[in-house]
Amino acid sequence: MKKVKVGLLGLGTVGSGVLKILARNQDKISNIAKRQIEVVKALVRDPKKHEKEANQVKLVTDFDEILNDKDIEIVIEAIGGLHPAEEFIASLLEHGKSVVTANKDLIASHGPRLVEIANRNNVDFMYEASVAGGIPILNALSQSFAGDEIIEIAGIVNGTTNYILTQMVDHHANFQDALKKAQELGFAEADPTNDITGKDAAYKMIILTRFAFGANLTFDDFEYHGIEEVKSFDVRQIAKLGYSLKLLGISRKVNNHIFVEVGPTLVKQSGQLAHVKNEYNAVGVRSMAVGNSFFFGPGAGSLPTANSVVSDLMAEVNDMSMTSEAESFNRYQDHLDPAKPKEVFDSFYLSLKIDAKDDAILTVSKLLVEHQIGFRELNKVEEGKSTYIVLVTDKISHQQLNDFTTAMKKNNISVQAAYKILK
Ligand code: NAP
Ligand code: HSE
């Protein structure tokens, strides 16, 4: 059987998972790929650290040893981050090597440029593992939903924050302990800042929005928030109201514009998203033809992520045996401007920290009338030495919410939380 030689950049959580899957499932993989897939070289910084998992793979510390190896036809990038991953991938594609990556930072920030290089050199460039780890959501959107019209994508797309929230709510863990555990389990990024601040989920929503709506957004086009400011008071109040708090990414078409947002969001306790726990991810797709579909699975971790990488690798091996031109992973392109805050409507949960002696509840009531905001909950809640107003609004525009919170700040009322409620 013919051999395909593969190079690997990085031998961390994902890279070592790829070696494990290729070794364990060797027979099935070569049966399907009709080729024997062999990782021949892996780029690492410290070979001594990786001797054990490398097994037969030659460890190299110089990228050029992989770039200039004419026998290597496909390279897996699993070092992460923007640099030097971007330069490495661009050079590999220019040298006619197909590439598989799990790097959402890079795909979200520079994907179109790298895709253009891949197309120009007629090589494959795939990145299923960059969104929702082990869930094959990008393949589903690019192939299975190719003929359908997608209306909304809403999902939990960061495993680390979902793990932390689950541990805090279900096991009363504190934030730092839960984060440390997520790092030990290999879910978090090497630097977990992007996980916690919502940036990692925002990268994934940029990629999902390209596949679902063809629109190419940047961070200037939408807001993202993380879980670093979430207070246990709000988690408790939200539970009393019958909801769970999740870090959710939403991408939706509004009046032929595109609305994307990442932030803590209330989901019904009885709904599917509330039952997505720990490092598990889920992506709900609402589309014209299919209706509602729900993709659920592990969003992070060594073997689930590596499985997506190996499946891309096998697709590329399969493509190599065809004589036709390589095709882009995502072929959908459209121009959609970002929706304006006055066009987008949601209900919101708000908690306002007030001075018990003030007539804050009167001020809030007046401001609600002034901004034409209806509500279904307006409660004064005392906890310890603090007093809060907990408010659940009717559907209002995001512009109304912005104006209302600005007015409250002017009246010295501190807005502790303003979270969207998923319908
Ligand atoms: P990781 O465990 O930190 O592994 C990265 C590896 O790359 C480390 O072994 C690191 O070496 C090596 N590396 C970094 N820079 C390098 C360089 N310049 N030259 C050579 N080696 C270098 O990260 P990971 O979790 O495997 O993530 C890899 C990629 O997959 C990232 O883009 C991540 O976002 C993505 N991803 C991860 C998951 C997950 O669950 N972990 C899921 C989906 C996608 P040292 O050991 O010397 O630091
Ligand atoms: N750090 C990421 C997460 C890895 O927790 O979701 C998967 O992309």
Side-chain angles (χ1 to χ4, degrees):
M1 192 179 274
K2 252 177 112 180
K3 262 190 192 169
V4 176
K5 295 197 173 171
V6 174
L8 177 60
L9 311 181
L11 208 37
T13 306
V14 177
S16 58
V18 168
L19 291 189
K20 273 186 203 141
I21 291 184
L22 288 175
R24 269 189 213 170
N25 303 340
Q26 211 171 24
D27 291 347
K28 183 181 175 195
I29 289 169
S30 44
N31 179 301
I32 292 172
K34 309 272 181 285
R35 301 275 205 287
Q36 206 180 320
I37 299 177
E38 190 189 351
V39 177
V40 288
K41 286 180 187 169
L43 179 75
V44 295
R45 287 194 280 219
D46 177 3
K48 274 213 179 94
K49 193 171 141 188
H50 299 287
E51 264 164 10
K52 210 170 146 206
E53 75 254 46
N55 203 5
Q56 309 283 347
V57 180
K58 183 179 176 200
L59 296 176
V60 299
T61 53
D62 180 3
F63 168 67
D64 286 350
E65 281 208 45
I66 290 179
L67 181 71
N68 297 323
D69 186 329
K70 293 210 163 35
D71 291 337
I72 293 180
E73 294 177 90
I74 303 177
V75 177
I76 297 163
E77 183 276 308
I79 60 177
L82 294 177
H83 306 289
E86 183 187 3
E87 293 75 13
F88 284 173
I89 292 179
S91 311
L92 290 161
L93 297 170
E94 292 285 11
H95 275 67
K97 297 186 195 304
S98 290
V99 172
V100 178
T101 179
N103 191 331
K104 59 270 165 152
D105 310 35
L106 191 57
I107 298 300
S109 311
H110 304 292
R113 182 178 95 86
L114 295 171
V115 168
E116 183 275 316
I117 300 176
N119 290 345
R120 188 158 34 79
N121 290 281
N122 195 28
V123 288
D124 284 322
F125 180 42
M126 297 185 76
Y127 41 89
E128 176 63 71
S130 64
V131 178
I135 307 176
I137 186 65
L138 297 184
N139 271 291
L141 291 174
S142 82
Q143 292 179 28
S144 312
F145 284 89
D148 200 353
E149 183 189 345
I150 294 174
I151 301 158
E152 181 181 88
I153 300 247
I156 295 168
V157 290
N158 182 270
T160 301
T161 43
N162 204 44
Y163 180 85
I164 294 172
L165 287 174
T166 307
Q167 293 299 313
M168 286 173 74
V169 174
D170 293 2
H171 307 289
H172 310 292
N174 76 42
F175 186 99
Q176 286 306 332
D177 289 346
L179 170 59
K180 196 164 165 268
K181 197 83 206 289
Q183 288 176 296
E184 284 164 14
L185 291 166
F187 307 148
E189 298 301 301
D191 171 355
T193 311
N194 287 354
D195 291 305
I196 305 307
T197 59
K199 194 170 190 179
D200 179 84
Y203 279 139
K204 291 163 178 167
M205 292 315 295
I206 289 177
I207 301 169
L208 283 172
T209 302
R210 282 188 199 139
F211 277 68
F213 301 105
N216 195 15
L217 301 187
T218 69
F219 283 129
D220 294 337
D221 298 318
F222 68 100
E223 283 189 26
Y224 69 86
H225 303 277
I227 61 164
E228 69 274 41
E229 303 289 336
V230 170
K231 301 280 185 290
S232 51
F233 169 81
D234 290 306
V235 173
R236 283 193 294 276
Q237 293 305 312
I238 286 165
K240 279 186 197 161
L241 292 166
Y243 293 95
S244 296
L245 192 67
K246 294 286 183 188
L247 185 75
L248 220 72
I250 291 181
S251 180
R252 128 180 10 136
K253 231 173 174 175
V254 179
N255 304 332
N256 224 22
H257 291 151
I258 186 83
F259 168 72
V260 175
E261 196 173 66
V262 170
T265 304
L266 277 69
V267 299
K268 279 195 194 109
Q269 272 169 6
S270 54
Q272 286 167 307
L273 284 167
H275 296 101
V276 178
K277 305 250 174 164
N278 290 316
E279 78 276 21
Y280 277 78
N281 281 190
V283 181
V285 180
R286 192 149 57 87
S287 63
M288 288 302 290
V290 177
N292 289 314
S293 15
F294 193 72
F295 295 80
F296 168 78
S302 181
L303 293 180
T305 309
N307 183 62
S308 293
V309 171
V310 170
S311 118
D312 280 354
L313 178 63
M314 290 173 70
E316 293 191 357
V317 169
N318 189 41
D319 266 10
M320 279 166 36
S321 59
M322 316 241 194
T323 46
S324 58
E325 283 187 8
E327 277 186 3
S328 292
F329 190 15
N330 173 37
R331 283 164 286 151
Y332 185 23
Q333 281 178 13
D334 194 3
H335 181 82
L336 291 173
D337 287 324
K340 298 200 168 50
K342 65 178 184 200
E343 290 179 291
V344 188
F345 288 78
D346 282 295
S347 296
F348 291 91
Y349 161 92
L350 284 98
S351 74
L352 318 168
K353 211 165 178 186
I354 59 168
D355 188 333
K357 287 180 234 126
D358 283 358
D359 54 359
I361 200 138
L362 198 68
T363 312
V364 172
S365 306
K366 271 191 203 154
L367 290 174
L368 283 168
V369 174
E370 225 171 82
H371 291 86
Q372 300 180 337
I373 296 177
F375 57 88
R376 56 191 157 95
E377 297 275 347
L378 178 64
N379 303 320
K380 196 169 168 184
V381 182
E382 312 227 332
E383 204 179 78
K385 288 184 182 148
S386 305
T387 308
Y388 304 84
I389 292 174
V390 169
L391 172 65
V392 177
T393 74
D394 290 341
K395 262 196 171 183
I396 57 171
S397 75
H398 286 225
Q399 187 64 54
Q400 274 174 293
L401 176 77
N402 295 344
D403 294 346
F404 178 62
T405 53
T406 307
M408 259 177 322
K409 282 172 200 158
K410 274 193 193 147
N411 282 274
N412 296 320
I413 296 174
S414 131
V415 180
Q416 177 168 286
Y419 302 147
K420 193 175 28 246
I421 302 175
L422 192 74
K423 43 177 187 325

